Amino acid sequence: MKELLIILMSLVLVDNFVLSKFLGICPFLGVSKKLDSAVGMSLAVIFVMLLATAVTYPIYIHLLVPHGLEYLQTIVFILVIAALVQLVEIILKKHVPILHRSLGVYLPLITTNCAVLGVTLLNIDEGYSYVQALVNAIGAGLGFLLAMVLFSGVRRLIEHNDIPTAFKGIPSILIAASILSVSFMGFSGVVDGIFK
Amino acid sequence: MNKLNILSNGVIKENPVLILLLGTCPALAVTTMAVNGIGMGLATMMVLICSNVVIALLKNIIPDKVRIPGYIVVIAGFVTIVGFLLKAYAPSLDKSLGIFIPLIVVNCIILGRAEMFASRNSVVDAALDGVGMGIGFTLALFLMGSIRELLGSGSWMGIVMTAEVIEPMTIFMLAPGGFFVFGCLVALINKLSNGRAIKKKEMGCAGCPSAGGCGQIKEGGCH
């Protein structure tokens, strides 16, 4: 239990996927303008990350490894993620239209989100057990949600500031992300401090 | 568009990282050292050229409805090959690039060029576009890597430069430095071109690889 908590906490605060591992930068910069779209995108990412881990991990362990096909990892994982995203969209559209209206629009963007493929690959690289891998996926997703929500707040505040012409738009957003990332560096060591 | 234009387009006018703002994840993550920037750039360039050529060859065979999964399979195949080559011939580079080698699959530049260029042009043009975009990507990563390595560790390409004169600022090697240097570079390009180069100040649908399958375009984009 303690081990799982360490994985969860360190992914949300210390090794944040967006702010310290640079995974999922495109949606982080692109969809963080409004709070509701930031939350919607993050929830969709958490859901797909969890589902993708739940499916790709057993495929790797029980199908690829016994047959010596580990080299197919990248191809299989990206195809599974692409298929899952399509499937989820179809199911949501048919059976849960309310959820589809709020999350559905972000689903096609998630296939090419490197955070989702990243988390499935990292689970294998780190040699996690199935439960650890699932917790890892949730932690990565929650860290993404935290970064997105905080950053949408920051962006709302800097939007109407008097920024030098050259820094208007993307440059100012990147500098703001840099400062947010500095503040997350303050968490380094916090997990060791709590759990030791 | 003549051949030279196609080639130079990706290097300067439509530099994928600094002007189109694509492929930001690897551009920020691996550029702690100039060498890593070049390595990542060349690996991506190889995948880009090969996948552009194959997709241009297959453009009439792949049915329109399944084209995105088709492109992904082609790209993932080449990424696996490049990953093996790096593991065999440049193991230290492979270690420092780590997970970002398999993640070339989801690099927006490659899928974006497949969708926007290779699937609509001849094989030769697609290959030239791959070379141009690849050089542009490599140059941008090399530039960022050089700045971060010089400021962050006082060396360049592994050679000690200013470390003995000025205390290196380690933060440039860490995550915040990546965002900061990238922001300043984009601002510099804005300044030099009087804001003309980066027409879309925000990320637009034009650069989004999912644009083909995205229902949001009719409603004016997802942001």
Side-chain angles (χ1 to χ4, degrees):
Chain A
M1 196 59 214
K2 191 175 154 192
E3 222 173 296
L4 298 181
L5 267 176
I6 291 177
I7 295 177
L8 191 72
M9 288 289 283
S10 60
L11 268 170
V12 175
L13 294 177
V14 186
D15 287 327
N16 190 288
F17 250 46
V18 180
L19 295 168
S20 82
K21 284 188 176 166
F22 294 122
L23 293 165
I25 299 289
C26 287
F28 177 65
L29 297 175
V31 201
S32 61
K33 206 171 176 187
K34 280 188 240 121
L35 182 63
D36 52 348
S37 56
V39 173
M41 179 74 184
S42 311
L43 291 180
V45 166
I46 295 178
F47 184 59
V48 174
M49 266 181 179
L50 194 60
L51 203 63
T53 305
V55 176
T56 55
Y57 189 89
I59 288 183
Y60 184 79
I61 299 293
H62 298 299
L63 205 66
L64 297 185
V65 174
H67 296 94
L69 294 172
E70 289 95 334
Y71 63 91
L72 286 178
Q73 191 192 25
T74 316
I75 302 181
V76 170
F77 281 20
I78 188 71
L79 281 180
V80 167
I81 292 170
L84 272 179
V85 169
Q86 283 288 323
L87 196 70
V88 168
E89 205 190 351
I90 294 168
I91 292 173
L92 282 187
K93 204 172 186 175
K94 185 113 193 335
H95 296 292
V96 204
I98 305 165
L99 209 58
H100 181 256
R101 234 167 289 147
S102 50
L103 295 188
V105 292
Y106 305 106
L107 282 173
L109 297 169
I110 288 177
T111 315
T112 50
N113 183 344
C114 52
V116 177
L117 183 61
V119 82
T120 57
L121 292 171
L122 277 176
N123 283 330
I124 305 293
D125 282 358
E126 302 274 334
Y128 285 145
S129 72
Y130 193 53
V131 178
Q132 282 174 326
L134 290 176
V135 172
N136 191 36
I138 296 175
L142 286 178
F144 188 77
L145 173 74
L146 182 65
M148 289 286 274
V149 168
L150 285 177
F151 199 54
S152 72
V154 172
R155 278 185 73 168
R156 198 171 55 85
L157 290 176
I158 62 168
E159 200 172 8
H160 300 296
N161 280 5
D162 188 18
I163 301 165
T165 327
F167 276 92
K168 281 216 170 93
I170 285 290
S172 64
I173 295 168
L174 283 165
I175 305 285
S178 161
I179 296 168
L180 187 61
S181 167
V182 172
S183 69
F184 266 72
M185 279 174 67
F187 287 118
S188 61
V190 78
V191 172
D192 291 346
I194 293 173
F195 292 102
K196 267 175 193 166
Chain B
M1 214 179 347
N2 69 38
K3 307 281 181 223
L4 199 66
N5 270 349
I6 296 174
L7 193 65
S8 67
N9 190 33
V11 184
I12 303 156
K13 212 172 84 210
E14 283 190 12
N15 188 294
V17 180
L18 298 174
I19 307 232
L20 298 181
L21 304 169
L22 295 173
T24 38
C25 298
L28 290 166
V30 304
T31 52
T32 49
M33 286 195 294
V35 175
N36 289 355
I38 296 180
M40 185 71 202
L42 291 180
T44 308
M45 181 158 130
M46 194 176 148
V47 176
L48 191 55
I49 297 169
C50 298
S51 61
N52 258 7
V53 168
V54 171
I55 286 163
L57 281 170
L58 295 176
K59 63 173 178 271
N60 297 325
I61 300 171
I62 300 177
D64 200 42
K65 268 194 177 157
V66 293
R67 68 183 193 291
I68 300 283
Y71 299 161
I72 289 178
V73 175
V74 171
I75 295 165
F78 285 116
V79 170
T80 309
I81 296 172
V82 168
F84 278 145
L85 288 175
L86 277 177
K87 259 200 187 77
Y89 295 107
S92 62
L93 186 67
D94 180 68
K95 226 178 213 122
S96 51
L97 297 181
I99 190 174
F100 283 91
I101 294 288
L103 285 183
I104 296 176
V105 179
V106 281
N107 190 321
C108 325
I109 299 169
I110 298 176
L111 202 54
R113 288 326 280 177
E115 170 82 2
M116 302 272 170
F117 196 91
S119 60
R120 291 170 198 173
N121 287 283
S122 73
V123 178
V124 179
D125 286 359
L128 284 176
D129 180 71
V131 175
M133 283 283 160
I135 294 174
F137 185 68
T138 311
L139 278 181
L141 259 62
F142 175 62
L143 188 64
M144 268 188 74
S146 301
I147 295 172
R148 286 179 70 185
E149 192 181 351
L150 199 61
L151 293 174
S153 68
S155 58
W156 183 69
M157 301 286 282
I159 308 160
V160 178
M161 306 287 278
T162 56
E164 280 143 27
V165 192
I166 310 161
E167 185 74 25
M169 294 168 272
T170 320
I171 193 150
F172 278 97
M173 301 283 272
L174 303 171
F179 284 114
F180 185 77
V181 170
F182 192 36
C184 289
L185 273 179
V186 177
L188 183 71
I189 284 172
N190 260 345
K191 181 87 185 161
L192 291 177
S193 64
N194 290 322
R196 272 194 301 268
I198 301 166
K199 275 169 246 135
K200 39 173 191 103
K201 294 265 188 223
E202 306 289 333
M203 319 280 263
C205 284
C208 175
S210 313
C214 182
Q216 287 269 297
I217 290 180
K218 287 168 220 126
E219 292 148 34
C222 41
H223 25 82

